[in-house]
Amino acid sequence: MNALVYHGPRNVRVDDVPEPTMLAPTDAIVRITSTAICGSDLHLYNGYIPTVKHGDILGHEFMGVVESVGDAVKNVRVGDRVVVPFTIACGGCNNCKAGFTSLCDNSNPNQDTANIVTGHSPSGLYGYSHAFGGYPGGQAQYVRVVFADANAFKVPDGLTDEQVLFLTDIFPTGYQAVEQCDIKPGDVVAIWGCGPVGLFAIQSAFLLGASKVLAMDRLPDRLERAQGFGAEPIHFEKDDVLKELNRRTAGRGPDAVIDCVGMEAHGATIDAMLDKVKQVAKLTLDRTHVVRQAIYTCAKGGAVSIPGVYVGFVDMFPLGSLFAKGLRLRTGQTNVHRYLPTLLDYIASGKVKPQDIITHRFGLTEAADAYKMFVDKSDDVQKIVLDPAA
Ligand SMILES: NC(=O)c1ccc[n+]([C@@H]2O[C@H](COP(=O)([O-])OP(=O)(O)OC[C@H]3O[C@@H](n4cnc5c(N)ncnc54)[C@H](O)[C@@H]3O)[C@@H](O)[C@H]2O)c1
Ligand SMILES: [Zn+2]
Ligand SMILES: [Zn+2]
């Protein structure tokens, strides 16, 4: 089958690889009908995520049709159309039962590797390095879905792939990022990054009661889209972010600040430039300029939410500001499963139209060019969907 394979930093291509087979009675094989490229894939592509190996199949946003199921699978059948959350749940551990599926105790077989950096391993992830399970990803024609009863969610036939595909990651990710801030009606929410995750965070902030959303980026097309969803755009290179956030909140600062950028933040300030030098010199894995700015600008008693991905140890962390203002800090991979029913309802009722953020569609065979386009942010790209059959 065709699959998008990692061959080193900035070097991916579609190879002919063996089709997956079932390895446990709880597995299912899914024929993928749609798959997307995520900002998280770019961290792998740029070589910043340790333990990704040459030959790994990438991709964690995918859906399709169940092709075969193991003997122990009860909830899905051959022919069912399913979306598959990128965080893998076993369905049976205490964290899964409590809805914290991204913290599943059983889905990462390589916990010892993850523990070196994290202390305790989060769940396994599709197509996201060996520290997170080494699971082959879904930018492919077929994928092995593990613990299928807990991870293959049937979707109504009346909804198209493009309507439901982003339930696998970015819609729940934007939603969790806001939900974990415990927004009160009337709150002002500031969002760094108007990529796909940022745009879903903007929409979720209004769904959850924000009165105003301030959205930052430097790409004009992305700022325009953010404005289209009701946010007030701020160009972080042309405007002074601290001044603007204070000016638009009567000097208080935003009640919730959300980092939808992650470990490859841009910036022209001294700290951002230092981060860049250190990342290139491999002295740090993460560029944390946005985290610093978010904490520093947040209102007293406010909430800091970090859906943006970080992997290592960081310095110049404004602990004093976090402490002095009594801020609440929330972060993590997304507990996709817990939000699926609610978000599916938003889509079915037409309240949220996830397909509206798609700007480019390619065949899977063109995936290498699609990665290049997405990393360069050329042609006003916002979100790319790949068709494995083309
Ligand atoms: N927590 C999770 O479970 C989860 C899930 C999906 C994605 N993510 C992460 O969310 C982040 C965003 O993903 P995406 O798909 O939207 O990525 P993306 O690369 O398309 O978007 C990132 C945006 O941030 C902007 N940006 C860069 N520096 C900035 C700064 N200093 N201030 C404001 N904006 C800045 C970029 O111009 C870009 O538009 C990534 O780190 C991704 O790994 C996390
Ligand atoms: Zn993703
Ligand atoms: Zn579990």
Side-chain angles (χ1 to χ4, degrees), residues 240-321:
D240 181 324
V241 170
L242 175 63
K243 267 197 199 146
E244 279 304 312
L245 293 182
N246 277 335
R247 188 175 72 76
R248 295 171 199 228
T249 54
R252 275 183 315 123
D255 304 290
V257 294
I258 306 182
D259 170 1
C260 299
V261 178
M263 61 191 287
E264 295 183 66
H266 297 285
T269 53
I270 301 265
D271 68 295
M273 287 190 274
L274 268 174
D275 281 348
K276 180 106 198 179
V277 172
K278 284 188 200 159
Q279 196 182 49
V280 170
K282 304 232 180 292
L283 293 171
T284 186
L285 290 168
D286 306 287
R287 308 204 301 255
T288 53
H289 169 66
V290 165
V291 176
R292 285 184 211 111
Q293 198 166 55
I295 291 174
Y296 197 72
T297 53
C298 188
K300 290 189 274 187
V304 181
S305 171
I306 310 179
V309 163
Y310 293 93
V311 288
F313 298 85
V314 304
D315 58 8
M316 295 191 290
F317 182 79
L319 185 56
S321 172

Side-chain angles (χ1 to χ4, degrees), residues 2-13:
N2 286 336
L4 190 278
V5 174
Y6 180 84
H7 290 282
R10 297 232 172 187
N11 184 4
V12 294
R13 45 172 202 269

